[in-house]
Amino acid sequence: MNEPGVRQYDRSAEDVGNVVALEHVNLGVADQGLATVFYISGLGLTRDPYMMTGIDNMWVNVGRSQFHLPTMARAQRLRGRVGLVTPDREALLQRLDRVKGLLGDTHFAFAEREDHVETTCPWGNRILCLEPSARFDGMVLGMAYVEFDVPPGTAGGIAGFYREVFSTAARVERAGAGTAAHVSVGIGQELIFRETDAATEAYDGHHIQVYVANFSGPYRGLVERGLLTEESNQHQYRFQHIAEPATGKALFEIEHEVRSLRHPMHARPLVNRNPLQTNRSYVPGRDGWVPEPKAPDMDDPRVEMRRKRFEEAARRVAG
């Protein structure tokens, strides 16, 4: 439709792709106490009150996504960075400063950058905390991206793998910090695979989890390529290698836990607390985190229609 005076939109900008959500990143930790200090007291995130409430695992809510932090003899380290959108940079810096004494004998560190606060967990995982912006499609608290360091020359093949096997949007950008594949995995969420010449650590088994709308299509593509590693259950399967679509050459190793939208935990409401609440400055009714509006109001074509109807009615009354 292209009527005169009717605003036109880029409808493709609303496409999400077959991967609809990046739900969690799973990283083994060596000490639940230190993990609590960093993720809960420092970053200001929320321990899930309903699931994994013992001392052998902790699920940490961040908007609609989570960190899963099982206790392991040797902590795991993601070969890259996790990007979180978190409000109130000043409050974040104050919390991180308060916990540094408790994390003094670990890898913990934090530094304020131009557009983010860079933090390092007690075991060396880098988590970048960014303020809400248009880049993240209205997200004001959440897991915006997971960025992996990958070998030179692999970004194109990785983007092709996700386009072909998962039917999701993927592109290669060659600017700024170098060549990188950007893969859409939800509204305002990406997997980023950034090429680097630097040597990377050996893969230690950490994983990510995504939800997909067309569950059987990627499954068939993985089976055909010999990449499926686990038949988990009716609602889930796993694979570990990203491969060049044309040749089958392995490009990068990271386990994906793939779930269908019929999985019982899909869209489970997650509790997010307001980290500004304290016993000394308590405000009744503000325990839960409430997102502040960041996006402009949607267009409403009926505003003009209502105005014209009102003017017509006014003329009839006056006439």
Side-chain angles (χ1 to χ4, degrees):
M1 184 176 71
N2 192 13
E3 297 180 6
V6 176
R7 182 174 177 180
Q8 300 300 302
Y9 301 90
D10 176 9
R11 295 305 185 187
S12 66
E14 298 294 301
D15 293 343
V16 176
N18 189 40
V19 185
V20 299
L22 169 63
E23 201 269 353
H24 72 251
V25 171
N26 187 294
L27 294 166
V29 301
D31 185 297
Q32 292 288 316
L34 294 179
T36 298
V37 172
F38 176 72
Y39 286 94
I40 309 303
S41 300
L43 294 184
L45 306 181
T46 306
R47 177 164 188 167
D48 194 294
Y50 303 118
M51 306 290 291
M52 301 299 169
T53 59
I55 59 173
D56 61 338
N57 200 347
M58 175 167 53
W59 287 8
V60 176
N61 299 340
V62 49
R64 298 177 181 175
S65 299
Q66 294 184 318
F67 287 99
H68 289 186
L69 306 170
T71 303
M72 303 179 68
R74 183 175 181 180
Q76 294 176 324
R77 187 178 297 182
L78 187 137
R79 297 154 300 162
R81 295 145 291 282
V82 179
L84 304 182
V85 174
T86 58
D88 201 334
R89 177 190 287 210
E90 188 57 38
L92 170 66
L93 290 169
Q94 290 174 6
R95 289 194 301 269
L96 293 170
D97 188 64
R98 284 197 295 268
V99 302
K100 64 183 180 183
L102 298 172
L103 302 174
D105 295 327
T106 73
H107 290 280
F108 170 74
F110 70 97
E112 190 172 11
R113 309 299 185 194
E114 182 178 352
D115 65 344
H116 66 274
V117 175
E118 180 176 348
T119 72
T120 305
C121 90
W123 301 279
N125 286 295
R126 294 171 62 194
I127 298 175
L128 310 186
C129 299
L130 306 105
E131 295 182 288
S133 72
R135 172 187 174 189
F136 307 116
D137 286 340
M139 180 187 295
V140 286
L141 175 66
M143 188 175 289
Y145 63 82
V146 180
E147 180 175 282
F148 298 100
D149 294 328
V150 300
T154 60
I158 289 172
F161 171 85
Y162 283 98
R163 283 195 299 265
E164 187 166 325
V165 177
F166 279 87
S167 300
T168 198
R171 69 188 189 280
V172 176
E173 293 188 357
R174 296 179 174 86
T179 301
H182 291 253
V183 180
S184 173
V185 290
I187 299 173
Q189 294 183 296
E190 288 186 319
L191 297 180
I192 303 173
F193 299 87
R194 191 167 303 281
E195 294 183 5
T196 177
D197 293 321
T200 57
E201 298 180 39
Y203 177 55
D204 60 11
H206 56 276
H207 74 261
I208 61 174
Q209 185 260 305
V210 295
Y211 282 103
V212 297
N214 178 350
F215 189 58
S216 62
Y219 175 82
R220 288 192 297 269
L222 293 168
V223 170
E224 289 168 1
R225 292 167 173 79
L227 297 175
L228 193 75
T229 55
E230 180 181 288
E231 295 273 11
S232 309
N233 52 52
Q234 176 66 22
H235 310 294
Q236 179 181 300
Y237 50 81
R238 297 186 185 224
F239 74 97
Q240 195 157 311
H241 283 94
I242 301 169
E244 167 67 48
T247 65
K249 177 184 176 182
L251 301 173
F252 190 68
E253 187 176 11
I254 174 66
E255 185 176 63
H256 292 56
E257 183 179 328
V258 183
R259 293 180 182 175
S260 77
L261 301 191
R262 296 181 183 273
H263 193 288
M265 297 187 73
H266 173 246
R268 182 175 78 93
L270 299 183
V271 175
N272 287 276
R273 68 189 178 93
N274 174 11
L276 298 180
Q277 285 281 55
T278 70
N279 61 330
R280 293 181 177 274
S281 58
Y282 184 75
V283 179
R286 295 292 292 177
D287 289 347
W289 178 79
V290 178
E292 300 293 339
K294 293 295 180 182
D297 291 341
M298 289 188 292
D299 294 335
D300 184 357
R302 291 174 174 78
V303 170
E304 181 65 15
M305 295 166 56
R306 288 191 289 269
R307 184 188 67 80
K308 290 179 178 179
R309 287 200 301 267
F310 177 80
E311 289 180 351
E312 180 62 28
R315 281 195 295 269
R316 287 198 299 269
V317 171

